[in-house]
Amino acid sequence: MADTSIECTRPTGAWVAARRKEFHDALAAFNPAKPILILGHHDADGLSSTAILSRALERGGRNTKVRLLGRGENVWSAEMASELRAQDIGGLIVADLGTRAEPPLPGMATVLLDHHVPAGVPQAALLISGHGLHPTPTTSLLAWWCTGAIAEVDDLLWLAALGIIGDMEDASGFPELAAARERWGITALRKAVSLLNAPRRASAGDAGPALALLLKADGPKAVLSGEYPETALLQAAKAEVQEALAEGRRVAPQIRGEVALIPLHSACQIHPLIAQQWKGRLKDKVVIAANTGYRPGWVHFAARSGQSTDLIDFLRHHRPEGADPVSYGNGHAQASGGALLPAAWNRFVAKLGFGAEMQVPA
């Protein structure tokens, strides 16, 4: 099944209706006697997408299993392929994890929902993509639109709103967000996003409690209220991240030409937040926050730009030998990054004009 999702510059009602039909028809190819496995990213958009899909499919009479991909995991890795082959499932839905030309598990009926710059379009799976539309719908909004074909999902709109707020600097342009704001309140939605993002950023990197909360809460106020035990776990994770973030904010950037590089060493995933913070202060630079403490043996980095620099193209141009295309230079034109082994990282920073002070032991 080829991708036919990018037909217009704005997601009109007709566009949404066509995607719903594609989603409905794709599910018909799934084995109804076996559960559907949903693979999702562990940020607010991926968590919300996964929760929408699971709750809607269960309402539509389909059994589901969920699996979040965490730190260092990739849906196209050999390890994940082995794990998927061991699953007794009737179909696979991949949410907010990017795209490739090949499906994660060849021969398995598969639907991919995504809004990042595609690294390939699979011909043997259905890709429903928001890339190329303006404004770009998040994966959670795509999931909410699509699942309307199989169940009543009006009460799950708040989940889509969480994904929109979590992934977009400028979330205007979506009537769905305006409706969610009026119904559930923007303050509660924003606070819920901040809380839900905390576990995957904390040192443990376990977003499981966040997903468990979204699978049973009836709105953002329930996420925040403390009526469920997961909320306390999320609050503890947020406190840990805030402490690490305060330390990271004291690190001054090193500048070479058009690049500002901020070296960090934290077990928490603070590099995207630090890069985002400095982007507003260094508007004419490509800001790269690099974290050597996030995953042992790797340098994880987040790139942000306050100007019109296309970061996907920038990172492609500066790709070092040894960079894995699966974990380098993906995402969005204004928000990208990756992970490099030390030797590849050292080649990368040298190419950017930095000296030995920014290299790491290989």
Side-chain angles (χ1 to χ4, degrees):
M1 291 176 283
D3 168 38
T4 57
S5 61
I6 304 174
E7 301 169 352
C8 56
T9 58
R10 189 170 185 84
T12 63
W15 186 93
V16 172
R19 303 295 80 75
R20 280 181 178 153
K21 184 178 186 306
E22 288 178 345
F23 184 76
H24 180 274
D25 293 348
L27 290 182
F30 286 22
N31 185 339
K34 297 181 178 182
I36 296 170
L37 177 61
I38 303 166
L39 300 179
H41 192 240
H42 60 173
D43 68 357
D45 189 32
L47 290 166
S48 298
S49 306
T50 303
I52 290 169
L53 288 162
S54 179
R55 295 176 70 161
L57 285 164
E58 294 281 349
R59 289 178 183 182
R62 305 297 291 265
N63 292 326
T64 66
K65 298 165 63 175
V66 295
R67 165 75 155 86
L68 296 177
L69 271 72
R71 191 167 297 186
E73 292 188 309
N74 190 283
V75 71
W76 280 272
S77 69
E79 293 79 8
M80 183 57 61
S82 179
E83 179 181 327
L84 292 176
R85 282 193 294 269
Q87 299 281 336
D88 186 23
I89 57 175
L92 180 65
I93 300 179
V94 181
D96 202 41
L97 291 169
T99 64
R100 289 289 182 274
E102 65 284 350
L105 184 61
M108 176 60 63
T110 301
V111 174
L112 300 99
L113 302 176
D114 199 71
H115 67 126
H116 302 96
V117 177
V121 176
Q123 298 301 307
L126 173 65
L127 168 61
I128 297 178
S129 172
H131 176 66
L133 301 176
H134 303 284
T136 303
T138 56
T139 304
S140 57
L141 184 53
L142 293 172
W144 187 75
W145 282 338
C146 288
T147 53
I150 58 171
E152 173 54 54
V153 295
D154 181 65
D155 63 316
L156 302 181
L157 178 59
W158 67 279
L159 289 167
L162 295 180
I164 295 171
I165 293 169
D167 246 36
M168 302 186 71
E169 283 187 57
D170 181 7
S172 62
F174 292 110
E176 292 83 1
L177 180 59
R181 175 175 183 160
E182 182 176 350
R183 185 169 173 181
W184 287 283
I186 190 62
T187 300
L189 289 166
R190 285 176 175 163
K191 287 183 176 179
V193 168
S194 178
L195 199 60
L196 291 163
N197 267 327
R200 56 111 174 181
R201 288 176 175 152
S203 58
D206 179 14
L211 179 60
L213 193 50
L214 293 185
L215 288 173
K216 58 188 174 183
D218 62 2
K221 291 181 180 178
V223 169
L224 301 167
S225 68
E227 63 180 288
Y228 298 113
E230 290 85 359
T231 299
L233 298 176
L234 270 59
Q235 289 170 336
K238 184 175 180 180
E240 180 191 8
V241 173
Q242 289 300 315
E243 184 177 348
L245 191 57
E247 183 176 347
R249 283 174 173 154
R250 293 193 286 268
V251 179
Q254 304 295 313
I255 298 175
R256 300 290 187 278
E258 63 176 328
V259 177
L261 183 59
I262 304 119
L264 304 167
H265 187 81
S266 173
C268 293
Q269 190 190 38
I270 60 171
H271 39 289
L273 302 175
I274 295 294
Q276 186 70 17
Q277 169 197 309
W278 280 101
K279 183 191 83 168
R281 299 170 63 178
L282 299 170
K283 298 183 184 296
D284 62 336
K285 304 295 181 186
V286 171
V287 177
I288 298 176
N291 192 348
T292 55
Y294 181 62
R295 184 161 60 119
W298 291 81
V299 181
H300 282 253
F301 68 96
R304 300 292 185 268
S305 174
Q307 51 186 343
S308 58
T309 301
D310 184 329
L311 293 174
I312 302 294
D313 184 66
F314 174 87
L315 291 174
R316 184 185 302 116
H317 178 71
H318 292 282
R319 180 190 303 275
E321 180 185 351
D324 183 348
V326 169
S327 57
Y328 174 91
N330 299 305
H332 305 279
Q334 301 302 308
S336 187
L340 293 168
L341 290 168
W345 170 260
N346 292 341
R347 287 190 287 269
F348 176 61
V349 292
K351 192 172 183 180
L352 293 176
F354 294 90
E357 74 282 357
M358 288 298 168
Q359 296 189 357
V360 298

